[in-house]
């Protein structure tokens, strides 16, 4: 499975990508929503996108809206991974088309649990 | 965020360091002695909007900032730590602290992007809270400031 990790922090991209790679994902990283859209145009749809909210150039919510406008990207699972933890923000992201919401800071177990909920864990990792 | 307490700040920071910096709990605690000025300070902050802007500032000394960058970027002992690495890591740490504190006070508005300065902070507001913490023997200071009605402008 392939995952696109979108965050303006290199440290956070490294952490998220490392956790996903430990779970068997091949990962690609992007520093903002615009770069992530470029990756989708270049590479085709990914199985999963992990999306920070606050980023320069294009924020995560705008990225979610842009993805949902493209029919060929509808099969991609979108998970916000962000510090925006207010209920209203979570509702906005889910209403825009995000499937799940993970609040920083998170543990490896929390990531695994969210992916399990989404049916994205390899069979041997499924609880 | 004016309703958050020093205990809230400590708990948020402990969760952050346990989950993302050290991979284990117990490395971050209250600073045991009286506060003193940071030598060669590095300051990172994030503003939250809303009716009244609130700035969350994470301050530490340059040596500790380098150690944090080395840890979160998994840099080897011989690999250089650039200023961009410090900005990346300190910015993300204060982003997570600020976001979690903001989550305790609904209606604070969206977060801005982190700003990191290798030097003294540029805060023009009223100090709300200041927490002095110890991480592996080094001092971290997390403070929140009321920026009044200026929102996220500096």
């Amino acid at each position: 499975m392939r995952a696109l990790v979108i965050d303006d922090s290199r440290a956070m991209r490294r952490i998220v990508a490392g956790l996903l790679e430990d779970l068997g994902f091949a990962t690609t990283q992007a520093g903002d929503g615009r770069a992530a859209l470029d990756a989708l145009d270049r590479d085709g749809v990914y199985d999963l996108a992990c999306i920070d909210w606050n980023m320069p150039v294009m924020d995560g919510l705008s990225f979610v809206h842009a993805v949902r406008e493209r029919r060929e990207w509808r099969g991609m699972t979108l998970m916000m991974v962000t510090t925006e933890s207010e209920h209203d923000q979570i509702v906005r992201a889910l209403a825009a088309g995000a499937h799940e919401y993970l609040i920083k800071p998170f543990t490896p177990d929390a990531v695994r649990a969210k992916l399990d909920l989404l049916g994205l864990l390899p069979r041997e990792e499924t609880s | 965020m004016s309703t958050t307490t020093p205990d809230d700040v400590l708990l948020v920071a402990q969760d952050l360091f346990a989950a993302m910096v050290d991979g284990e709990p117990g490395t971050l605690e209250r600073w045991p002695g009286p506060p003193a000025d940071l030598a060669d300070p590095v300051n990172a902050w994030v503003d939250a909007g809303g009716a009244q802007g609130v700035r969350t500032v994470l301050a530490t000394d340059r040596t500790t900032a380098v150690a944090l960058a080395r840890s979160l970027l998994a840099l080897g002992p011989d690999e250089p730590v650039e200023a961009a690495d410090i900005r990346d890591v300190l910015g993300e740490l204060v982003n997570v602290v600020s976001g979690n504190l903001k989550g305790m006070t609904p209606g604070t508005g969206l977060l801005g992007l982190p700003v990191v300065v290798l030097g003294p902070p540029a805060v023009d507001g009223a100090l709300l809270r200041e927490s002095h913490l110890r991480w592996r023997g080094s001092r971290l200071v997390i403070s929140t400031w009321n920026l009044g009605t200026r929102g996220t402008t500096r």
Side-chain angles (χ1 to χ4, degrees), chain A residues 7-16 52-57 83-86 89 92 103-108, chain B residues 15-16 19-20 71-74 85 88-89 92 95-96 99-100 102-103 105-114:
Chain A
D7 198 303
D8 57 332
S9 167
R10 188 160 61 93
M12 189 55 67
R13 292 200 305 270
R14 186 194 71 78
I15 290 169
V16 174
D52 186 23
W53 190 306
N54 296 302
M55 296 181 286
V57 184
T83 62
E84 290 289 352
S85 55
E86 286 186 48
Q89 310 300 357
R92 280 180 72 196
I103 295 171
K104 302 173 186 173
F106 49 79
T107 62
Chain B
D15 282 350
L16 167 62
M20 315 203 81
S71 176
L72 266 81
L73 291 168
D85 300 329
D88 186 286
V89 165
E92 186 60 18
N95 181 48
V96 175
N100 280 269
K102 184 172 78 74
T105 310
T108 318
L110 283 172
L111 296 174
L113 294 172

Side-chain angles (χ1 to χ4, degrees), chain A residues 1-43:
Chain A
M1 293 221 264
R2 297 193 309 152
L4 183 56
V5 179
I6 312 161
D7 198 303
D8 57 332
S9 167
R10 188 160 61 93
M12 189 55 67
R13 292 200 305 270
R14 186 194 71 78
I15 290 169
V16 174
L19 290 172
L20 293 174
E21 287 164 8
D22 286 346
L23 293 170
F25 285 84
T27 65
T28 297
Q29 300 181 21
D32 60 70
R34 181 68 254 168
L37 291 176
D38 291 343
L40 286 168
D41 278 325
R42 181 187 65 233
D43 304 334

